[in-house]
Amino acid sequence: MLNDVWMKIAQFLGTLNGENVKRESYVLTPEFEAALEAWKETEQEWEVFLETLPAEEQEKAEEMKERLEDFASAQEKRAYIQGYADCVQALYHMGLLKENEGLKWAEKMDIH
């Protein structure tokens, strides 16, 4: 049940997360920009390296790269949603949000 709620929230937040990189509130950290630049410099080397491999190994290497990209994307989405959850909790602890009967913190729910 609790994961269902977070899945719905994740779907909604996914429409915000990185979808519109031109929006004013889009955040680019120095670490992200450095990693992106490093990848841009390495991407051509990657393609040249792949060409040195037999076709079967090229396919395997591309599959591994795709899995790594999928994993990184899943980590990013999880961290994004966690940030929202942390923000809501911070607002609650500042007294700006109130708990009510219909909405309780996961830590206070009996989910077993």
Side-chain angles (χ1 to χ4, degrees):
M1 164 87 175
L2 189 59
N3 274 340
D4 291 341
V5 171
W6 282 115
M7 288 302 294
K8 291 289 185 193
I9 291 171
Q11 289 171 348
F12 167 72
L13 296 177
T15 62
L16 299 176
N17 181 23
E19 297 290 327
N20 181 1
V21 297
K22 303 239 187 280
R23 69 181 188 199
E24 194 173 315
S25 62
Y26 190 74
V27 177
L28 287 174
T29 64
E31 296 85 1
F32 175 81
E33 289 179 338
L36 180 60
E37 200 56 41
W39 172 246
K40 285 178 181 178
E41 292 171 7
T42 307
E43 192 170 19
Q44 279 187 321
E45 289 178 47
W46 171 254
E47 295 301 324
V48 170
F49 169 72
L50 281 180
E51 291 175 10
T52 67
L53 300 175
E56 187 176 297
E57 289 181 23
Q58 283 182 18
E59 190 174 314
K60 178 79 171 163
E62 284 291 356
E63 285 175 13
M64 292 170 72
K65 179 181 167 238
E66 265 186 51
R67 286 187 190 135
L68 184 59
E69 289 170 346
D70 290 346
F71 180 62
S73 178
Q75 283 181 308
E76 181 179 338
K77 287 177 183 176
R78 189 214 51 82
Y80 188 79
I81 293 167
Q82 185 65 55
Y84 267 98
D86 292 346
C87 182
V88 169
Q89 284 190 329
L91 292 171
Y92 170 77
H93 290 293
M94 288 187 288
L96 299 173
L97 293 178
K98 303 287 183 225
E99 185 176 303
N100 63 48
E101 229 6 76
L103 180 63
K104 294 184 178 186
W105 292 112
E107 293 85 8
K108 294 183 179 180
M109 295 177 65
D110 182 21
I111 55 175
H112 300 285

